[in-house]
């Protein structure tokens, strides 16, 4: 099992910045993907950004150029730097880790951290 603890959410005005962190409770299997998802009220959870153990990144079109995902493998931690925030970025942000093994993948979720962007 892997416990994921997110931090860094909060209330910010439009145009502001926040940095989210996601710390894993143990070393993650060497082949893995860490990611951030978000869920706005009344909407489905959606992908925000992912990063592989090799450093390859993927972003939702809505956050490209504004958000940056990164990771520190030595600390088993992922980060999401969010700049130029918009009210539509409001939601609960969840950290996700997917361990990829030959016999199957295992995914873990954090408890979520609230991000609220006021206009």
């Amino acid at each position: 099992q892997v416990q994921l603890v997110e931090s860094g959410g909060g209330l910010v005005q439009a145009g502001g910045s926040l940095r989210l962190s996601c710390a894993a409770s143990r070393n993650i299997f060497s082949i893995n993907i860490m990611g951030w998802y978000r869920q706005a009220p009344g909407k489905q959870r959606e992908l925000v950004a992912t990063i592989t153990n090799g450093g390859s990144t993927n972003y939702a079109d809505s956050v490209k150029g504004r958000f940056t995902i990164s990771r520190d493998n030595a600390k088993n931690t992922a980060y999401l730097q969010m700049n130029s925030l918009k009210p539509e970025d409001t939601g609960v942000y969840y950290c996700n880790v997917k361990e990829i093994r030959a016999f199957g993948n295992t995914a873990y979720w954090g408890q979520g951290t609230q991000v609220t962007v006021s206009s």
Side-chain angles (χ1 to χ4, degrees), residues 3-105:
Q3 276 73 51
L4 303 175
V5 179
E6 299 116 331
S7 61
L11 172 64
V12 64
Q13 288 188 331
S17 299
L18 285 173
R19 187 190 194 213
L20 305 183
S21 298
C22 170
S25 60
R26 62 160 174 82
N27 287 338
I28 303 168
F29 183 69
S30 58
I31 303 174
N32 64 80
I33 302 173
M34 301 185 79
W36 290 94
Y37 292 72
R38 66 187 181 190
Q39 187 165 20
K43 295 188 177 181
Q44 290 189 329
R45 192 173 298 187
E46 63 176 2
L47 170 74
V48 175
T50 61
I51 184 168
T52 69
N53 52 285
S56 296
T57 58
N58 179 53
Y59 294 92
D61 288 342
S62 59
V63 307
K64 283 180 181 177
R66 300 188 298 122
F67 290 12
T68 302
I69 188 170
S70 61
R71 60 189 290 167
D72 184 333
N73 291 330
K75 296 181 179 180
N76 298 308
T77 300
Y79 305 95
L80 185 68
Q81 178 66 44
M82 305 185 293
N83 298 328
S84 302
L85 281 161
K86 304 176 181 180
E88 51 263 44
D89 294 317
T90 294
V92 179
Y93 283 67
Y94 296 92
C95 178
N96 172 269
V97 168
K98 183 184 295 182
E99 295 183 317
I100 302 170
R101 302 172 187 258
F103 53 81
N105 304 334

